[in-house]
Amino acid sequence: SIQLYVTNQNEINVTANQTELQAIYISDMTGRTWHYDASGTHVKIRPPVVNGVYTVRVIGSETTRIEKVILNK
């Protein structure tokens, strides 16, 4: 399983159990996407984005998780 949460500093934390993280994609509502390579089971990202709603797609070796997050700096 993959869990993700946003801290109050707009840092996105991703933790994986029983899967290896491979990539993270963060997309805004216009379709602009930022790609981050990932490895291991824990990743912290502070994306260079403005306030808004984003879709975060986390790709693991065994599973994928897609979740909407609100970033508010």
Side-chain angles (χ1 to χ4, degrees), residues 35-62:
H35 170 258
Y36 298 90
D37 290 323
S39 63
T41 58
H42 186 79
V43 174
K44 293 181 181 182
I45 297 173
R46 183 169 286 166
V49 297
V50 297
N51 295 348
V53 178
Y54 295 85
T55 301
V56 179
R57 183 167 46 121
V58 181
I59 311 285
S61 59
E62 302 291 325

Side-chain angles (χ1 to χ4, degrees), residues 6-7 10 51-54 68-73:
V6 178
T7 67
N10 281 334
N51 295 348
V53 178
Y54 295 85
K68 285 188 179 178
V69 298
I70 298 172
L71 297 179
N72 187 13
K73 295 186 177 188

